[in-house]
Amino acid sequence: MPTHQPFPPADRDRFHSLNFRVDDLDADEQISAAFFRLVSVHEDMLVSLAEHHSADGARSFYVLYDGSATWDHPGVPQYVALHLQRDLERRTFSFERATLPLPSMAQSWLIRRGCPPEFLTLDPEWGTAPADEATQALEQRLMRDGDHYALGWSHTQDDPDDWLTLAVLRALDERAPSPFRVVVEDVDIEAGTHTLREGGFDSVEEALQWCDDRLGGVSKALPPVRPVPSLSRPAPAPKPASSRPSGRSR
């Protein structure tokens, strides 16, 4: 069962049909085959968590939950970011797609491709809610600053007794403090909430070892992310007061 279960099994009829608006458009054989293999074949298991369509109909952006991912290889991401581009004069289309472990990462991917962030708010009727302000703040930062990091590895564990997503990120700026980050999402199914936390590591080996330990049932505290060093110069030390001769001044 998926980590962000958007619907209970008895409510599968709540799926609303997706309309990718490409049925009347053509594409070359490779694009058509790729779209069918990567998107259309799973269409009955896709749920739109957020979508935006440009006013002229030329572009569409989707954050999708893929219910079929739970039957794939263990650990695969369960969210899809989809960017469709249509040439309405030529009646053709093209697309970009990425599978990502967290909705905030899918939002970031689409924002980098031109989607206005204000139109990518996740549907609150699906999935779980942030458990606290720290979770909300980190989700916003991942959505806003996701292009500062590259996703190196992820694992989605949809065990009902331990619903967990791990993602290892690498800072693109080699000078960044804590260049490797581990983002951990824990889901409380009964409460309908999730928490998101981040830890900082100096090497990818340390980051992956922490993840291995967590998947093995060993819970260790995440090391804090080192703060960004201040670039401002330290304030000069105050000069000692000049001595004055005793007596009245002239």
Side-chain angles (χ1 to χ4, degrees):
M1 299 177 73
T3 300
H4 264 70
Q5 187 180 8
F7 53 90
D11 289 345
R12 289 185 181 274
D13 57 348
R14 290 188 62 193
F15 272 120
H16 64 279
S17 59
L18 283 165
N19 183 4
F20 294 122
R21 310 180 187 185
V22 297
D23 291 344
D24 297 329
L25 304 180
D26 296 319
D28 65 41
E29 186 174 345
Q30 287 186 336
I31 292 178
S32 295
F35 189 77
F36 176 80
R37 175 172 52 88
L38 296 173
V39 181
S40 297
V41 72
H42 304 296
E43 189 169 339
D44 61 340
M45 292 297 290
L46 295 175
V47 175
S48 176
L49 304 181
E51 61 184 74
H52 171 63
H53 310 281
S54 62
D56 61 3
R59 305 176 76 188
S60 291
F61 305 85
Y62 300 85
V63 177
L64 303 169
Y65 165 78
D66 183 3
S68 70
T70 192
W71 311 113
D72 206 326
H73 298 292
V76 300
Q78 297 184 345
Y79 296 94
V80 176
L82 177 64
H83 176 209
L84 279 169
Q85 300 180 77
R86 308 176 188 86
D87 187 328
L88 300 178
E89 291 186 1
R90 297 182 179 181
R91 310 297 297 171
T92 62
F93 77 94
S94 60
F95 75 99
E96 297 177 273
R97 169 190 176 274
T99 57
L100 295 157
L102 295 170
S104 53
M105 293 181 180
Q107 290 169 305
S108 175
W109 189 90
L110 293 170
I111 290 168
R112 296 201 305 271
R113 281 154 181 78
C115 185
E118 62 271 21
F119 294 117
L120 278 182
T121 301
L122 300 177
D123 187 340
E125 293 189 3
W126 302 98
T128 53
D132 50 32
E133 292 183 358
T135 296
Q136 291 178 309
L138 182 51
E139 287 178 336
Q140 286 296 313
R141 185 157 56 81
L142 287 173
M143 182 177 74
R144 183 182 66 248
D145 299 335
D147 56 342
H148 296 176
Y149 300 91
L151 175 64
W153 175 88
S154 73
H155 184 92
T156 298
Q157 176 173 287
D158 48 14
D159 181 346
D161 296 323
D162 187 15
W163 294 43
L164 171 73
T165 297
L166 300 170
V168 176
L169 310 178
R170 176 179 60 83
L172 299 181
D173 184 352
E174 296 179 354
R175 301 166 297 176
S178 300
F180 295 93
R181 309 286 177 91
V182 171
V183 177
V184 183
E185 182 190 66
D186 283 293
V187 177
D188 186 333
I189 297 300
E190 293 187 1
T193 61
H194 63 273
T195 59
L196 197 64
R197 297 293 186 265
E198 177 188 42
F201 297 83
D202 291 328
S203 70
V204 66
E205 291 80 11
E206 293 173 319
L208 290 173
Q209 184 60 57
W210 192 97
C211 293
D212 284 343
D213 291 341
R214 176 63 181 83
L215 290 172
V218 179
S219 295
K220 297 180 179 179
L222 280 167
V225 175
R226 293 202 310 270
V228 177
S230 175
L231 298 179
S232 60
R233 295 182 179 178
K239 295 181 180 179
S242 58
S243 59
R244 299 176 64 104
S246 59
R248 292 187 301 173
S249 61
R250 295 180 181 177

